[in-house]
Amino acid sequence: EALRYLANKYSIEIEEDAPDPKQEELRDERDSLYNLNAYAQRIFSENLFEHEEGISVGLTYFHERGFGDEIIKRFQLGYSLIDWSAFSDVALKNGYKPEYLIKTGLSIPRKNEAGEADPSRLLDRFRGRIMFPVHNMTGKIIAFGGRILKKDDKAAKYVNSPESEIYHKSDVLYGIFFARNEIAKQDNCYLVEGYTDVLMAHQAGIVPVIATMGTESMY
C-alpha cells in the first residue's frame, strides 16, 4: 500500500506479477473498508456542522472545550446521532454492504428471537457520541473512537472500532498522519494520553504530538 501510494504520488509505474486471487480478494475488501470509513466520516462531519442535534450537542461540546472549527475540520471530527440506527440505515440505503458495516465496527447486528446475530438488522455502534476518526500514515481512515457526552452509567465513556483487516490497535498512533512531517523534521515527538490532548497541542502549534490507542471497545 505504501509503495503504491508513493508510486502514484510521483507518477511511477509499478510492474507487478499476476496477482494471487486471495490477495486480490483481500485487497478489494480493504478498499471497501477504507471507502466505507471515508463515507462514515463525511456523514459524521455533516451531522456535527449541519444537523440540529449535532450542533447543539457535539459542536457545542467542542467549542466549550476550546476547540475551533479549523482544528475540528482538520482532524475530520464528527458526531453520530443518538437514533439507534441512523447511520446504518443511510449507509445501507446508499448501497454499502451489511458485512462491511459489521467488519468496520460501525454497525452491530441485532439479535433475533433465538438470540443469534442477524446481519440484516443493524444498530449503530457509536450512537450519541462525538467521533474521532483514526488515520493511518497515508491519511486513510482505518477506525473511529467515540465519546459519549450524556451521563450514562451503563455505557462506556469511550468506544473504539474493533480490530479489522485495516485496523490493528497496537500498530496505530492517533494523530500520526498530521504529525509525521514535523516529527521527521524535528527528530522528536511527544506522546500524550488521548484524542483531545493531541487536538489541543496541534491547535496550540505543537505539531509533533501523538497518542496511543489505549481505550478498549466495550462491544
Side-chain angles (χ1 to χ4, degrees):
E1 181 188 344
L3 287 171
R4 290 191 182 91
Y5 171 82
L6 289 171
N8 182 64
K9 182 177 181 180
Y10 295 105
S11 301
I12 298 173
E13 184 177 351
I14 298 179
E15 294 184 9
E16 298 187 69
D17 296 331
D20 178 88
K22 290 184 178 180
Q23 290 297 321
E24 279 287 285
E25 183 179 346
L26 182 59
R27 185 187 304 171
D28 290 343
E29 178 175 323
R30 286 174 175 166
D31 287 342
S32 295
L33 299 181
Y34 286 135
N35 290 336
L36 177 53
N37 280 343
Y39 170 77
Q41 178 271 312
R42 292 194 297 272
I43 295 296
F44 295 145
S45 290
E46 287 176 5
N47 289 343
L48 185 67
F49 284 100
E50 300 176 16
H51 195 283
E52 182 179 354
E53 180 187 327
I55 294 170
S56 63
V57 179
L59 194 59
T60 297
Y61 170 82
F62 282 125
H63 287 167
E64 288 178 348
R65 288 292 304 271
F67 298 114
D69 288 352
E70 181 181 349
I71 197 71
I72 292 172
K73 291 178 179 178
R74 187 192 312 167
F75 278 77
Q76 300 180 315
L77 308 183
Y79 179 78
S80 179
L81 301 178
I82 200 167
D83 183 86
W84 281 99
S85 59
F87 171 75
S88 298
D89 290 345
V90 73
L92 290 170
K93 184 178 179 180
N94 281 276
Y96 290 94
K97 296 181 179 180
E99 62 182 287
Y100 293 135
L101 284 162
I102 295 170
K103 285 182 177 181
T104 58
L106 289 162
S107 302
I108 304 169
R110 300 174 191 247
K111 292 184 178 180
N112 57 26
E113 295 179 357
E116 300 171 337
D118 182 356
S120 67
R121 303 170 65 238
L122 301 178
L123 300 173
D124 292 352
R125 178 184 296 272
F126 296 104
R127 69 186 193 88
R129 295 174 182 270
I130 52 173
M131 300 299 292
F132 300 85
V134 179
H135 303 77
N136 66 9
M137 286 286 287
T138 62
K140 291 182 178 179
I141 297 172
I142 56 176
F144 291 90
R147 184 193 192 281
I148 198 167
L149 297 182
K150 74 172 186 176
K151 184 175 177 57
D152 187 343
D153 294 334
K154 295 182 179 180
K157 182 178 180 180
Y158 277 98
V159 169
N160 280 349
S161 299
E163 296 205 347
S164 68
E165 283 295 335
I166 60 174
Y167 173 58
H168 302 283
K169 186 174 71 171
S170 61
D171 298 335
V172 177
L173 293 165
Y174 180 72
I176 188 64
F177 173 67
F178 303 97
R180 59 179 185 163
N181 290 338
E182 199 63 26
I183 290 173
K185 180 180 178 181
Q186 296 187 22
D187 192 24
N188 183 47
C189 73
Y190 301 96
L191 184 67
V192 295
E193 184 178 1
Y195 305 131
T196 55
D197 299 317
V198 172
L199 296 173
M200 192 63 73
H202 280 248
Q203 183 168 259
I206 307 170
V207 177
V209 177
I210 53 178
T212 58
M213 298 297 299
T215 305
E216 294 286 351
S217 170
M218 298 299 291
Y219 296 91

